[in-house]
Amino acid sequence: MIDAGPVVMMRGEARLGWQAMEASEAPSTAIDVAVIGGGPAGSAVSAFLARLGRRVALIEKSRHPRFHVGESLLPSNLPILERLGVSEAVAAIGRYKPGAEFVSPHHEQRQVFPFADALNPSPDHAYNVTRAEFDELLLRHAAAAPGVDLWEGYTATGAERLPDGWRLTLRGENAPAEIRARFLIDASGRDGFFAKVESVRQRSPRHNSAAIFAHFRDVSSDAWAADGSIAIYWFEHGWIWMIPLRNGLTSVGAVSMPDYLKTRKGPLDAFFIETLKMCPKAWTVLQNASRVSPVRGAGNYAYTAKKAFGDGYLLLGDAYTFLDPIFSSGIYFAMQSAERAAEAVNVVLDRPELAGRLFSRYQRELDNAMARLTWFIYRFNSPILRNLFMKPRNFFAIRKAVVSILAGDVYRGGTLSLRLAVFKTIFHLSRLANLRTDREDRRRREVLPSISLPDNEIADRL
Ligand SMILES: Cc1cc2nc3c(=O)[nH]c(=O)nc-3n(C[C@H](O)[C@H](O)[C@H](O)COP(=O)(O)OP(=O)(O)OC[C@H]3O[C@@H](n4cnc5c(N)ncnc54)[C@H](O)[C@@H]3O)c2cc1C
C-alpha cells in the first residue's frame, strides 16, 4: 500500500528521511494524507489514520505548547480518548469535572446537573484541561505513531490539485517546502484553510455573539456547588463561564450579544471587567481573584462551511463548523469527526468511487448531531429556555435527557430524541403562555447588529 519512495521536495532544508528533489523528478505520491492543523481534530485524525496503516503528514503552523481557548471536555470525549490511547495521560493533566451548573440572576437557587444523572449510560465525569497541555499531548501522541511525519512550525499556504492528489506549499520558520499527498484533510480550526482558498464558509445569521476571556487565580470556591464542575452564569447580555483548572487557576469568559459589544468604548481588558461586574453573582466570587493571563477576544463567532468535503479533501472540527461553546462541545465534535473521517478516508483511498457516499454520510451524521445542540444554543439567552433550565422537572425523564445533552450524547436517537421532543413542546407551550417576553426576546435577536470584536484580539496588559 505504501510507496516507500521520497515524496517531498525540500527547498533549502534537509529533513530526516526525506530527499531533496527537483519538481520534474517528483515521483508518484507516497504520503496518503496531508493533515493541515495540529489541534485536537488534526492530531486525532492523524493518529487514527496511522493506526489504519496510512502514511500521514501532519502540518502545524505553531510550536506546541501554545495557548488555545476551550478548556472544558465532555463525558462523550472520554471513550474517544480511550480508543486513542491517551485517557490516563489526559486524566493526569485534567481537573475532574462531575457536571455543569447554571446560575441565573432571576432565580434564587443554582441548578446543578451531575453527569451521573444522564439518561443513557455514559461516563459520569469529564475533565477540564489547559489546552496548551492537552493539545501538545495529542500532537506528540500522533507524532509518535509509526507513519506520521510531523511538520511543526510549518504553515500550509497553498494547495494545488493534481491528477493523483495534491501539491501543498508550506511556509517554514526557516525555509519553504512542498508536500505531495493523495488526500487532504483541513483541520486548521477557525483559521479555515479551505474556507479561504474556496470561500466555502458562511457565518451563522442566527448566532452572532463573541467571547472575551482570561485566566484568574483565587476565584472563590463559592463559584461552584460541586468541585470541578463548569459553572455558567447568565447575565443581561449573555453568559459567563467559570472553568476550574488544575493549580488553582480558573478560566473565566464572557459571551455577549453583539448589541452589547457595540457599546464598548475602551480597551478589551477594561471592558471585560466591566462586563463581569454586570453579573453580580459572578462578580461576588471574582472580586478578590487576580487575573494571571492577557485578556483575549474571539469574534466572528458561529459559522459553517457549505460542504464538509470536496474533490480529494475533507473538513474536520472547527475548520468545518463552529458552534457557540455554551455546551463545551467543540473538542468533542473535533475528535469525533476525526475518528469518523479517518474510517471514511481510509476506505476512499482504496476505493475512490465510494467518496460521495461515505463523505455525504459523514457530513449528514455530523450535521444532525450538531443540530441537536444548535436548537438549544439559538435559544440559550431566551428567558423562556432559562426558566426551563432553572426549574427542570423530571416528568417523562426530561431532566435526564437534558443532562445527556450536556454530557454530549448527541448522536443517539431513540428515547432521548423522544424526550427532547417533549422538552421542545414544553418550550413552545411556555412561549405561548409568555407571549410578551417571547416577542421582546425575539425582537432583540432579530435586530442584532454584526459583531464589533475582531477575532483573536488580545489585551496584553496584566
Ligand atoms: C470562546 C471559546 C470557548 C470555547 N470553549 C470550549 C470548551 O469549553 N470546550 C470545548 O470542547 N470547546 C470549546 N471551544 C471550541 C474549541 O476550542 C474548538 O472547537 C476546538 O479547538 C476545535 O479543534 P480543532 O482541532 O478543529 O481546531 P483548533 O484547536 O483550532 O486547531 C487548529 C490548528 O490548526 C493550526 N493551523 C491553522 N491554520 C494552519 C495552517 N494554514 N497551516 C498549519 N497549521 C494551521 C492552528 O495553529 C491550530 O493549532 C471554545 C471556543 C471558543 C472560541
Side-chain angles (χ1 to χ4, degrees), residues 122-306:
S122 60
D124 64 359
H125 67 280
Y127 295 99
N128 300 320
V129 292
T130 303
R131 286 291 297 276
E133 287 179 325
F134 179 73
D135 289 16
E136 179 171 39
L137 189 159
L138 295 182
L139 185 88
R140 304 284 167 234
H141 172 263
V148 176
D149 282 293
L150 174 61
W151 292 70
E152 199 174 1
Y154 283 85
T155 305
T157 53
E160 184 193 345
R161 191 77 173 104
L162 305 173
D164 60 347
W166 294 88
R167 185 200 308 273
L168 206 58
T169 43
L170 310 181
R171 189 180 60 240
E173 286 158 356
N174 302 315
E178 286 184 8
I179 288 179
R180 290 184 62 184
R182 293 172 59 200
F183 195 89
L184 199 53
I185 288 184
D186 181 3
S188 62
R190 290 165 63 81
D191 282 13
F193 177 80
F194 260 99
K196 283 181 191 142
V197 175
E198 304 237 321
S199 315
V200 292
R201 186 174 284 181
Q202 42 200 7
R203 279 167 68 164
S204 164
R206 297 189 65 189
H207 203 82
N208 206 4
S209 313
I212 312 175
F213 42 92
H215 283 171
F216 287 78
R217 184 173 292 289
D218 297 328
V219 173
S220 162
S221 59
D222 293 342
W224 307 273
D227 187 40
S229 288
I230 182 173
I232 303 289
Y233 289 71
W234 270 289
F235 73 113
E236 194 190 341
H237 303 294
W239 56 276
I240 289 165
W241 79 70
M242 292 200 207
I243 300 174
L245 302 167
R246 277 188 324 153
N247 306 332
L249 294 186
T250 300
S251 168
V252 179
V255 178
S256 310
M257 291 195 264
D259 55 349
Y260 169 66
L261 290 165
K262 285 250 172 193
T263 65
R264 170 184 160 196
K265 300 225 165 49
L268 193 65
D269 44 0
F271 184 66
F272 183 43
I273 298 299
E274 274 167 38
T275 306
L276 296 175
K277 284 183 179 168
M278 297 191 82
C279 180
K281 287 186 181 174
W283 187 245
T284 306
V285 295
L286 284 171
Q287 57 191 343
N288 295 323
S290 16
R291 181 162 65 80
V292 294
S293 79
V295 175
R296 294 179 162 90
N300 295 328
Y301 227 42
Y303 56 75
T304 186
K306 285 180 207 135

Side-chain angles (χ1 to χ4, degrees), residues 36-42 59-62 64 66 68-73 131 135 154-157 187-191 193 211 213 230 241 243 298 301 316-319 322 325 328-332 334:
I36 302 173
I59 303 145
E60 168 54 47
K61 69 176 183 182
S62 46
H64 286 263
R66 54 101 178 92
H68 203 296
V69 68
E71 294 134 321
S72 196
L73 303 182
R131 286 291 297 276
D135 289 16
Y154 283 85
T155 305
T157 53
S188 62
R190 290 165 63 81
D191 282 13
F193 177 80
F213 42 92
I230 182 173
W241 79 70
I243 300 174
Y301 227 42
L316 299 187
D318 282 7
F322 179 76
S328 306
S329 57
I331 299 172
Y332 170 61

Side-chain angles (χ1 to χ4, degrees), residues 439-459:
R439 210 176 304 124
E440 278 166 15
D441 172 55
R442 277 192 303 150
R443 197 173 301 136
R444 180 174 185 190
R445 281 184 288 141
E446 271 159 20
V447 296
L448 288 181
S450 62
I451 223 95
S452 60
L453 193 66
D455 213 4
N456 294 325
E457 180 173 349
I458 300 181

Side-chain angles (χ1 to χ4, degrees), residues 46-108:
S46 300
F48 282 124
L49 279 166
R51 193 174 292 168
L52 293 166
R54 297 300 177 180
R55 191 154 170 201
V56 179
L58 171 57
I59 303 145
E60 168 54 47
K61 69 176 183 182
S62 46
R63 289 202 174 264
H64 286 263
R66 54 101 178 92
F67 174 84
H68 203 296
V69 68
E71 294 134 321
S72 196
L73 303 182
L74 295 178
S76 300
N77 273 112
L78 300 196
I80 305 174
L81 297 172
E82 183 82 44
R83 290 193 288 277
L84 206 52
V86 294
S87 49
E88 281 179 22
V90 171
I93 61 160
R95 172 96 184 251
Y96 189 90
K97 173 188 170 191
E101 305 180 2
F102 294 85
V103 181
S104 149
H106 307 291
H107 298 81
E108 216 33 31

